[in-house]
Every structure is written in C-alpha cells, then in structure tokens.
Amino acid sequence: MTREPDEATVAAWIGLSRAQRVVTDRIEARLKAKKLPPLSWYDALWELDKAGEAGLRPYELERAMLFEQYNLSRLAQRLEKAGLISRETCEADARGQILKITDAGREMRRRMWETYSRAIEEAVGTKLSAPEARSLVELLRKLE
C-alpha cells in the first residue's frame, strides 16, 4: 500500500512549485521588458556555451537544459534563424547534427545575463541570506 504524503510534505510541494513559478515569471517579465528573448533561449545558449567547440547533439542539449523544452527542434530553429547557433553535420553520424553557439549567441547570452542575474538577485538574493541560500541548495539536492 502506498503511503499518503503528510501535511508538511504537501505544503513543501506547494511552496516549491509556487516559488518556482513566481520567480520564473518575474524573470521572464524582466527579460521581456528589456526586449530580450525568453529564458529558454538563455538556457540553451548557456548549455551550448559551456559545451565549447564540441557543441551538443540536440538530445544532449535537451537533457542538459534547466527548463522544460517540449519542442527543442522549434527552439533550435528560432535560435539558428536569429544567428545565435549553427548546425553542423555530426561526423560520427551523418544523419545527426551538432548544435554550436555563435559569437552572436555568446553576445546575446551576455546581454541576457545582465538582466537575468539582477532578476535572480531581486527574486532570491534579497529574500535569503547567504547561509539560508546554501541551506536551501542542500535541501533541494535531496530531491534530485
């Protein structure tokens, strides 16, 4: 028989879900106000920038992304059309592709980070002390 969650567990789930939604919505609003692309673009550009010259296969990018991306191919098309990423044929698999960040993509990521980092500080850093933030990280790691 499956155990039902207790009140504290349900409250933790609700708080976690609500906090994630509220903080993400605030960050998205800040990016939009600055006429910058959505957070999913930053997320993809960040992962591709970290991958360096090797780039990432689309499935690797999807797995690495912080935010859910239900249609990575559409996101990749938009990023490519904007000149922020390039696609190359995978040498190991001629049918496969490698996605790589361009110089314009690195610049866009930098511009987005200026707004994104301030929004993170406003949404989280002004609400939690450094020790509280470290404690939260430790607690959240238990859920991974």
Side-chain angles (χ1 to χ4, degrees), residues 33-94:
K34 294 285 187 176
K35 299 189 180 348
L36 291 167
L39 201 46
S40 61
W41 285 39
Y42 181 88
D43 191 12
L45 293 172
W46 182 53
E47 293 297 341
L48 291 170
D49 204 7
K50 287 190 316 183
E53 286 302 310
L56 293 172
R57 301 280 301 264
Y59 73 88
E60 293 171 318
L61 177 58
E62 186 172 29
R63 197 177 313 141
M65 288 182 67
L66 184 60
F67 300 100
E68 287 292 328
Q69 184 55 49
Y70 297 106
N71 196 339
L72 184 66
S73 61
R74 197 172 284 154
L75 173 63
Q77 287 172 350
R78 289 183 184 123
L79 291 168
E80 184 179 30
K81 184 176 180 182
L84 304 178
I85 69 167
S86 64
R87 294 177 195 255
E88 296 179 11
T89 302
C90 178
E91 290 180 22
D93 175 7

Side-chain angles (χ1 to χ4, degrees), residues 20 23-24 26-28 30-32 34 36-44 46 66-67 108-124:
Q20 188 273 337
V23 169
T24 300
R26 286 179 186 164
I27 292 169
E28 290 280 13
R30 294 278 295 271
L31 291 169
K32 188 174 184 177
K34 294 285 187 176
L36 291 167
L39 201 46
S40 61
W41 285 39
Y42 181 88
D43 191 12
W46 182 53
L66 184 60
F67 300 100
M108 176 58 75
R109 190 181 81 74
R110 187 197 60 73
R111 286 184 45 227
M112 291 179 77
W113 179 245
E114 290 174 12
T115 299
Y116 187 16
S117 65
R118 284 194 288 269
I120 290 170
E121 177 58 23
E122 182 182 295
V124 180

